Amino acid sequence: MGVIEDVYDDLDTDVEFEKFEAAVNDKVEQMGGLADEETAAMLIAHELRDEEVNGIADIEPGMEDVKFLAKVVSVGDVRTFERDGEDEDGKVLNIEVADETGRIRVSLWDEMAAGAEENLEVGTVLRIGGRPKDGYSGVEVSASKVEEDPDAEVDVKVLDTYRVEDLALGLSDVNLKGKILDVGTVRTFDRDDGSEGRVSNLSVGDATGRVRVTMWDERADLVEELDAGQSVEVVDGYVRERDGSLELHVGSRGAVEVIDEDIEYVPETTDIGALELGQTVDIAGGVIESDSKRTFDRDDGSEGQVRNIRVRDDTGDIRVALWGEKADTDVDLADYVVITDVEIKDGWQDDLEASAGWRSSVTVMDDAPAGAGGDSDAGADQTSSQGLGAFSGESSGSDASTDSTTSTTAATSSSQSADDTTTSSGEVVEFTGTVVQAGNPVILDDGSETKTVETDADLGLGDEVTVSGPETGGRISADSVEVHTGAKR
């Protein structure tokens, strides 16, 4: 066996030996005797190895011709164009291909374009050779060689309709049905070319999970026509990755359409009692306290906003800070909510606090899931005795009376039992504690128990105060409020 055969046998390539040998002989001739057959064979082998990439994610503009294996996920239409100085029009067809690492557009020209239009189907696995370049929507490959490989496998799913669990990086032309869990607002930004872009977000869920949907430019305005709880179909979306999570994006070709279907969404949440500092989790429970929205000035001069609520499940309760547009979510006492992607942080008095930011979604559910704390048909009295009880999705101000709301709030307080509520009803009490929730009502905590106080006094977080007044159902109607000088923390 000669030296050319030895080098070829060590080379993992699908180039035929005859073509490899011819390239070696050409290299020897080009170098005018400066390289023998072995040296020339090593040079050609090095060039071929440089062409091979491990996956689409490794392809970059400026590379010489690359070779890779991928599955066709969409096929465009043939377009014709005029070539300078030639009578015959040129043809081009763009396809989208994907592998386990990503997706990329591939341009097929002239005869390849015509053949692909007639014969190429979504799901076909191709061996592709071509030159990478910067394109309109990222890196593209201008193909010089495309061959079908029926024996190769690429682990990318291509379906007519996807579920959340089917989504994978590299997919395009994705149709997905789901229930809207959260609706954002339209935001603008400046592109590098000086133009203004527009973007908005939805959170959509189905029986297999949930996904963030990002809509760009002319599609961003769709959020103004959509509401949480509606069933929709995302049409012609494509999957991208952001901060380690998959997102479904909608551009000029895509749409989000309301459909008349009942889409089931079953959240997978973490028990509040099991939360740990530093986690990013989904939680669910009944709203037992609700503060008013507050605004503040950021360091950059812009205005921010935040609203605090307290959420309780069968294992405990936690304060949740709703930041930015999440503070505008219509959440009332006794609503059952699912809040996703909250960060667990340090709160008041070493308690844990959940922070819901731009990645989070806040969804008011129509019904509490089974096991969330009681019978969904329970009345106000039963809710009062069962703590969380059942949250039917109706706010305390719609069908329930003020007394029922008061009873529910008192019963769900983590520091007071139903027996305490009964014995203390109507008695004048005095209570000293620290303000852990401002507004009206105020929430006071003395380190061992928490009291809800109705007062118009202007109190701030951290103030230490003493209140007195009649207590009914665990709520104190303050007749007097004394702020202790120097006690603000």
Side-chain angles (χ1 to χ4, degrees):
M1 182 179 291
V3 292
I4 297 178
E5 290 91 339
D6 290 340
V7 174
Y8 180 82
D9 287 342
D10 292 335
L11 181 64
D12 183 17
T13 181
D14 59 359
V15 174
E16 297 175 356
F17 173 74
E18 289 76 12
K19 292 183 179 180
F20 179 80
E21 185 178 36
V24 171
N25 293 330
D26 287 343
K27 180 69 71 174
V28 170
E29 185 176 348
Q30 290 171 10
M31 300 190 69
L34 296 176
D36 57 17
E37 285 187 344
E38 183 178 8
T39 302
M42 296 295 290
L43 291 172
I44 296 299
H46 180 72
E47 292 174 3
L48 288 174
R49 290 191 185 99
D50 284 346
E51 289 180 350
E52 300 284 350
V53 292
N54 293 323
I56 288 174
D58 296 329
I59 299 175
E60 298 178 356
M63 286 182 167
E64 295 298 326
D65 287 355
V66 295
K67 297 169 63 179
F68 59 100
L69 188 73
K71 180 180 289 186
V72 178
V73 294
S74 71
V75 179
D77 298 320
V78 171
R79 294 183 288 110
T80 60
F81 58 93
E82 294 182 359
R83 285 195 171 98
D84 294 338
E86 297 185 20
D87 295 333
E88 187 176 352
D89 288 341
K91 296 180 179 179
V92 63
L93 180 145
N94 292 318
I95 64 175
E96 295 277 349
V97 300
D99 64 11
E100 295 87 347
T101 70
R103 71 183 181 100
I104 197 167
R105 174 178 288 185
V106 177
S107 299
L108 309 180
W109 303 91
D110 299 325
E111 290 81 4
M112 279 194 294
E117 184 181 36
E118 294 180 4
N119 303 310
L120 193 59
E121 296 180 352
V122 171
T124 302
V125 175
L126 300 176
R127 291 193 177 274
I128 301 168
R131 176 162 296 189
K133 62 178 184 178
D134 277 318
Y136 177 76
S137 57
V139 184
E140 300 179 357
V141 171
S142 180
S144 57
K145 181 180 179 181
V146 174
E147 294 180 349
E148 181 179 352
D149 190 338
D151 298 324
E153 294 184 2
V154 175
D155 188 18
V156 173
K157 294 181 180 179
V158 181
L159 306 171
D160 292 333
T161 301
Y162 290 80
R163 301 169 301 174
V164 171
E165 69 176 6
D166 298 324
L167 299 180
L169 188 63
L171 289 176
S172 60
D173 292 331
V174 172
N175 297 338
L176 180 143
K177 295 180 180 180
K179 175 181 287 187
I180 297 179
L181 308 178
D182 187 70
V183 180
T185 57
V186 178
R187 306 184 303 280
T188 60
F189 60 93
D190 294 326
R191 292 192 172 91
D192 293 339
D193 62 6
S195 63
E196 184 180 77
R198 295 165 62 80
V199 65
S200 64
N201 297 100
L202 300 171
S203 180
V204 173
D206 64 15
T208 68
R210 59 178 171 80
V211 66
R212 183 178 174 90
V213 179
T214 300
M215 295 166 291
W216 298 96
D217 297 322
E218 64 266 32
R219 296 294 180 247
D221 293 331
L222 289 172
V223 294
E224 298 175 355
E225 305 170 10
L226 301 170
D227 296 305
Q230 289 180 312
S231 294
V232 294
E233 182 174 16
V234 180
V235 180
D236 283 341
Y238 54 96
V239 181
R240 291 280 179 87
E241 184 178 14
R242 182 176 182 183
D243 296 334
S245 298
L246 295 181
E247 295 184 350
L248 186 57
H249 288 227
V250 178
S252 58
R253 289 177 48 194
V256 179
E257 302 171 350
V258 177
I259 57 176
D260 186 19
E261 292 187 30
D262 185 17
I263 307 295
E264 181 186 22
Y265 168 65
V266 180
E268 294 185 7
T269 58
T270 301
D271 289 342
I272 291 175
L275 297 178
E276 297 180 0
L277 185 66
Q279 288 181 314
T280 298
V281 295
D282 300 348
I283 61 174
V287 178
I288 62 173
E289 296 171 8
S290 178
D291 198 356
S292 56
K293 182 172 66 177
R294 304 193 307 276
T295 59
F296 58 91
D297 293 327
R298 296 189 178 95
D299 293 340
D300 62 4
S302 62
E303 186 178 78
Q305 61 181 24
V306 63
R307 179 188 178 196
N308 295 314
I309 62 175
R310 186 171 290 272
V311 175
R312 179 184 176 95
D313 67 8
D314 287 339
T315 67
D317 60 82
I318 190 169
R319 181 175 178 161
V320 183
L322 308 179
W323 297 94
E325 62 185 32
K326 306 304 175 188
D328 294 320
T329 307
D330 187 14
V331 176
D332 295 316
L333 287 172
D335 281 344
Y336 187 87
V337 295
V338 176
I339 309 177
T340 67
D341 286 323
V342 294
E343 298 180 41
I344 307 304
K345 300 182 176 182
D346 277 323
W348 284 103
Q349 298 180 333
D350 297 326
D351 285 339
L352 296 179
E353 179 175 294
S355 178
W358 68 269
R359 290 186 58 184
S360 305
S361 64
V362 182
T363 307
V364 179
M365 304 295 287
D366 292 335
D367 294 288
D375 180 1
S376 62
D377 294 327
D381 291 339
Q382 187 175 357
T383 303
S384 176
S385 66
Q386 289 182 346
L388 235 188
F391 291 83
S392 63
E394 298 171 350
S395 69
S396 59
S398 56
D399 294 328
S401 67
T402 303
D403 290 341
S404 298
T405 303
T406 302
S407 177
T408 301
T409 305
T412 51
S413 172
S414 60
S415 62
Q416 185 169 9
S417 68
D419 291 338
D420 293 336
T421 301
T422 301
T423 57
S424 64
S425 177
E427 293 183 6
V428 175
V429 299
E430 185 176 272
F431 185 80
T432 299
T434 301
V435 177
V436 295
Q437 175 178 298
N440 190 4
V442 170
I443 306 298
L444 299 182
D445 192 300
D446 69 353
S448 61
E449 64 176 332
T450 302
K451 295 286 188 180
T452 300
V453 181
E454 294 179 348
T455 177
D456 294 327
D458 186 13
L459 301 176
L461 290 174
D463 286 345
E464 185 176 318
V465 300
T466 297
V467 299
S468 63
E471 182 178 18
T472 304
R475 286 172 86 96
I476 301 173
S477 297
D479 293 329
S480 66
V481 177
E482 178 186 359
V483 180
H484 299 283
T485 305
K488 189 165 186 173
R489 297 187 301 171

